[in-house]
Every structure is written in structure tokens, then in C-alpha cells.
Amino acid sequence: MDSYTKDIHRYAFAMFKAARSMPADLAEKLDHIKQLRFNVQLQVLRKRINRRIT
């Protein structure tokens, strides 16, 4: 895949690449971009849950 280490960067650059050739709302519906967005959202949710517990 890409050499970016953080999922947020992978998501941003995948969106940028896809949005050059199609509208952004259609780019967000691509499977690999959906998976990257899910990973980012999951990490944020885990941080939020851990912050509440401690």
C-alpha cells in the first residue's frame, strides 16, 4: 500500500487521489476508502473510551 504510517494520512491521500478523477462523495463510497475511514473512526473511538475509563 502506501508508505504512510498513520491511517489518517492514508485516508486523506487516498481521498485526494480519488477526488482528482471523480466527485468526493463518490470517492468516499469506494471500498478501500471506506475501510480506511473505518480504521480511523475505530482508533478515535478507542481513545475516547480509554479516556473515560481512566
Side-chain angles (χ1 to χ4, degrees):
M1 195 158 181
D2 292 325
S3 63
Y4 307 110
T5 57
K6 294 185 177 183
D7 285 335
I8 190 77
H9 294 140
R10 287 187 188 134
Y11 172 70
F13 284 104
M15 276 296 297
F16 180 75
K17 276 196 240 178
R20 281 193 259 165
S21 62
M22 65 182 72
D25 61 327
L26 293 178
E28 285 184 334
K29 294 179 182 176
L30 297 174
D31 288 334
H32 70 284
I33 294 179
K34 280 184 187 179
Q35 185 62 43
L36 289 170
R37 184 176 59 233
F38 176 78
N39 291 344
V40 170
Q41 290 172 339
L42 189 61
Q43 287 176 352
V44 170
L45 181 63
R46 284 182 181 150
K47 277 185 181 178
R48 196 171 98 201
I49 290 171
N50 288 338
R51 190 174 48 214
R52 283 186 179 182
I53 292 174
T54 60

